[in-house]
Amino acid sequence: MHHTGYQPDTVALIGAGNAIDGALQKGLQRVGFRVQLLTAEQLTSGQFAARADTIVINAASCGGSAHMDTARAACEALCAQPFTALLHLSSYGVFGGARRKKIDEDELPSPGSAGGRDWLACEQVLAAQENVSILRLGWQIDRSDRALLGRIIRGLLEGKPVALDDVSRGNPVTVADLARVVVAITQQLASGAPRSGIYHYGSADTCSAMEFGREVVDRVRSLYGEDFAAELVALEPSGDDRSSVLGCGKLRDVFGIQQRSWRQGLTRQVELWLERLQKPES
């Protein structure tokens, strides 16, 4: 086997149980890491024992709100495991909404929702551990068919109106871009980069869910033709602006990782989700 020069060259990936897992596993293997993909349940039930020469990537918190208890238990189990470095994937949700400026990494979390408190609780479990990095991500638009992209395309295919927020803004993250960033961080963790810190990542440009939806409709029409009917409906204003835009300067300064537009590669993402959602259930 060709030696990559990474020290260590083994990654234990605690999966999210959705599209993130395959993208991370393939991306890490493509650059030469040996990857062991585990579920949070395998970790918490004692079916896995890490070695000191292992990098752990913990995506368990990205599994959705219904799985946050298991994700927190996975974080607690990781505290008893040896590892060279641990990269924990978290969310902009640890902050409340309605921020007019970008949220820097040194701003104190102040979650305004139960989901945000769950994200923060997972971070706090790991905060006292050595060699732990936390990567907070902008809203994840395509990790499952219940996320924004899948919800929009499913509504369009079923001919149903799709109600979207046209007020709150964020800098979203696609699964493909998430994998790019995580792989790049892991390569550098295995090559002598700092092994602890808090980082943010979101796309270079911001949007509301409605703006994103209009762009998706344009991509679907480019594939189906201009006669494709689509109805996007703005949610009634509630007075609740939940805008959260992450500043990503520290990730750039420490790892040299540049932000990309959420529009980059969107046509291909739409094609893949159309194929997935149109596939007959077996």
Side-chain angles (χ1 to χ4, degrees), residues 15-209:
N18 53 39
I20 291 173
D21 299 353
L24 288 178
Q25 184 176 28
K26 291 176 182 177
L28 291 162
Q29 290 174 333
R30 190 176 299 121
V31 298
F33 285 105
R34 295 180 291 181
V35 182
Q36 183 178 10
L37 176 61
L38 305 156
T39 66
E41 289 80 6
Q42 285 176 307
L43 179 65
T44 57
S45 64
Q47 298 179 45
F48 167 73
R51 301 195 312 268
D53 58 343
T54 300
I55 293 176
V56 177
I57 299 174
N58 182 28
S61 296
C62 299
S65 58
H67 304 285
M68 289 304 287
D69 287 344
T70 302
R72 181 170 180 173
C75 293
E76 292 169 348
L78 283 169
C79 292
Q81 296 282 349
F83 48 75
T84 296
L86 188 153
L87 177 61
H88 172 71
L89 304 189
S90 189
S91 169
Y92 75 99
V94 300
F95 300 103
R99 282 175 167 77
R100 298 300 179 184
K101 297 181 179 180
K102 291 183 178 180
I103 306 170
D104 293 327
E105 296 83 354
D106 57 358
E107 184 162 345
L108 293 177
S110 55
S113 66
R117 288 187 286 273
D118 287 336
W119 285 101
L120 182 58
C122 289
E123 286 190 14
Q124 290 173 332
V125 169
L126 295 167
Q129 302 299 305
E130 294 183 355
N131 294 340
V132 171
S133 298
I134 293 172
L135 178 63
R136 295 175 181 145
L137 299 158
W139 102 67
Q140 297 168 43
I141 53 180
D142 60 344
R143 67 184 180 188
S144 71
D145 59 8
R146 294 180 299 278
L148 184 60
L149 180 57
R151 188 160 57 88
I152 292 170
I153 292 178
R154 185 180 295 280
L156 299 183
L157 292 176
E158 294 175 352
K160 297 178 179 178
V162 182
L164 300 171
D165 185 344
D166 200 17
V167 176
S168 303
R169 304 185 67 81
N171 43 348
V173 180
T174 64
V175 166
D177 203 23
L178 180 156
R180 174 186 72 90
V181 171
V182 170
V183 169
I185 293 173
T186 307
Q187 287 178 291
Q188 295 186 58
L189 290 175
S191 303
R195 291 175 173 171
S196 61
I198 295 176
Y199 307 95
H200 290 172
Y201 184 76
S203 63
D205 44 354
T206 67
C207 65
S208 67

Side-chain angles (χ1 to χ4, degrees), residues 142 149 153 174-176 265-274:
D142 60 344
L149 180 57
I153 292 178
T174 64
V175 166
L266 182 61
T267 298
R268 180 55 181 158
Q269 293 294 327
V270 168
E271 288 177 330
L272 293 171
W273 280 89
L274 284 168

